[in-house]
Amino acid sequence: MAPLTELSIDDLKALQAQLQTRYDEFSARGLKLDMTRGKPAPEQLDLANGLLSLPGAGDFTTASGVDCRNYGGIDGIPEARELFGAYMGVSPEEIILGGNASLTLMHDTVANAMQHTAWGKAPIKFLCPSPGYDRHFSICEHFGIEMVVVGMDEHGPDMDQVEQLVAGDDSIKGMWCVPKYSNPTGAVYSDAVVDRLASMPAAADFRIFWDNAYEAHTLEAAPAPLKNILQACKDVGNPERVLMFGSTSKISFAGMGVSMVAGSVKSMNGVRSNLKAQTIGPDKINQLRHVRFFKDIDGIHAHMQKHAEILRPKFEAVLEILERELGGQGIATWTRPSGGYFVSLDTLDQCAAQVIQMAGDAGVKLTAAGATFPYRKDPRDRNIRIAPSLPALEDIHTAMEGVAICVQLASVQKQLS
Ligand code: PLP
């Protein structure tokens, strides 16, 4: 199809009428489809059902003799720290395991810093590469931390901007990063970005929140390589700069996974001392069950290939419909991720909220407008996060057709106005 800008007014009006008819017909179907959140589909969860009968009766003791049914072992059981240490690229001494949500660990890390360090003494800021993950932004809002938007491309955050901001402002104490298959753009941070983050001049208590939620979540034969930021930080003498987070929420069960925080031994000492005021020990049976189920890091990667087989056709469907309906018209761009849970769609400026509203009215619920930016304010009102994991393949076809009609209709209306 020709770019919209090359169409005459009459052609645009004819196209508008055609699209309006399609939209009305679509709405009349009375659909109720939901593409709002990146949740695993039931078939993905089924892959880990074996966990529910583990550990077997009488199997509750670690190799070192710890009785997992009892209190204690605040860092997590040794075999689980070894398994998830390998997953995060750190040694067992550099990782602590938490409950089912890494978000809790991130929240508590910020909360503790606000309560017990200089962070809480004066107003502070976080850098927020955007579009980004809405719940990171919610943590900042919750603690009154000012969010500073920085741009993103397929290699990660705009490092010129980041370096300039951080070097000139000591009140910037943190930065959110989703370094692999970023939410929502799918970007994988390049080695150069990792090195610059590790070495840039910044406040001594500046911390990178390295939320590697999608470390193994590839749609291809193997996960993309990602430079080890803890090692990079150690190499340049900034070992405490990074705190890494992860979980098995989208590997095993989102409601029964294992979360993890990793960093230098000194950083882990800090995490542990806060944790000791919160709990006498984590759910070690769940950790043991995960070790028995996955066995080793190869077991995790083999399992993630089964997830990829379920997710791949869903992502392909989204991309195929976007290309077929929107390709060549100059009205939208979108990402083609090689992993993670999202496709990030950019409409023409000032169209995203309208598209989301129209799609919702026609029975397709999308992530709220602005959600991928701090304070829910997308400065160009153009970003839409598409989450294809949960709906059935057939529903994705239907929903995406509806979304594509809305994008075209909003674009034609904009062009006409
Ligand atoms: N971090 C990112 C980037 C996510 O996209 C998500 C879930 O969508 C989470 C963290 C949530 O992780 P958890 O379930 O471990 O709290």
Side-chain angles (χ1 to χ4, degrees), residues 84-279:
F84 294 119
Y87 176 75
M88 298 288 278
V90 301
S91 70
E93 296 72 42
E94 293 170 327
I95 189 166
I96 291 177
L97 306 178
N100 74 311
S102 60
L103 210 57
T104 306
L105 291 172
M106 293 179 239
H107 169 279
D108 289 356
T109 303
V110 173
N112 282 312
M114 293 299 282
Q115 182 67 26
H116 303 299
T117 77
W119 280 27
K121 304 277 186 299
I124 65 163
K125 301 176 190 147
F126 262 49
L127 297 188
C128 299
S130 301
Y133 179 40
D134 52 347
R135 292 186 192 269
H136 289 160
F137 306 152
S138 302
I139 291 176
C140 282
E141 265 193 292
H142 190 61
F143 290 102
I145 296 171
E146 186 183 331
M147 290 178 271
V148 180
V149 172
V150 298
M152 277 284 288
D153 68 19
E154 70 270 31
H155 305 297
D158 176 342
M159 284 310 299
D160 290 342
Q161 205 187 353
V162 169
E163 284 168 347
Q164 198 189 357
L165 283 164
V166 166
D169 187 349
D170 252 18
S171 73
I172 297 176
K173 300 296 190 195
M175 176 172 176
W176 294 110
C177 293
V178 184
K180 197 189 276 196
Y181 312 132
S182 200
N183 176 349
T185 69
V188 180
Y189 286 23
S190 68
D191 290 4
V193 165
V194 173
D195 284 334
R196 288 172 75 175
L197 285 169
S199 62
M200 66 189 178
D205 55 353
F206 171 78
R207 294 287 177 271
I208 295 170
F209 284 66
W210 193 252
D211 180 3
N212 201 1
Y214 301 106
E215 158 63 26
H217 303 52
T218 180
L219 294 168
E220 301 182 332
L226 172 68
K227 184 159 182 166
N228 187 321
I229 193 165
L230 179 58
Q231 191 56 52
C233 285
K234 287 181 192 168
D235 289 345
V236 294
N238 290 325
E240 276 74 57
R241 172 165 293 184
V242 67
L243 291 160
M244 305 153 92
F245 299 88
S247 77
T248 67
S249 286
K250 294 184 186 87
I251 297 175
S252 56
F253 295 143
M256 196 193 84
V258 177
S259 64
M260 47 207 91
V261 52
S264 72
V265 168
K266 187 172 168 197
S267 298
M268 291 307 96
N269 290 340
V271 170
R272 189 180 305 106
S273 85
N274 287 317
L275 211 49
K276 276 183 173 164
Q278 267 187 316
T279 179

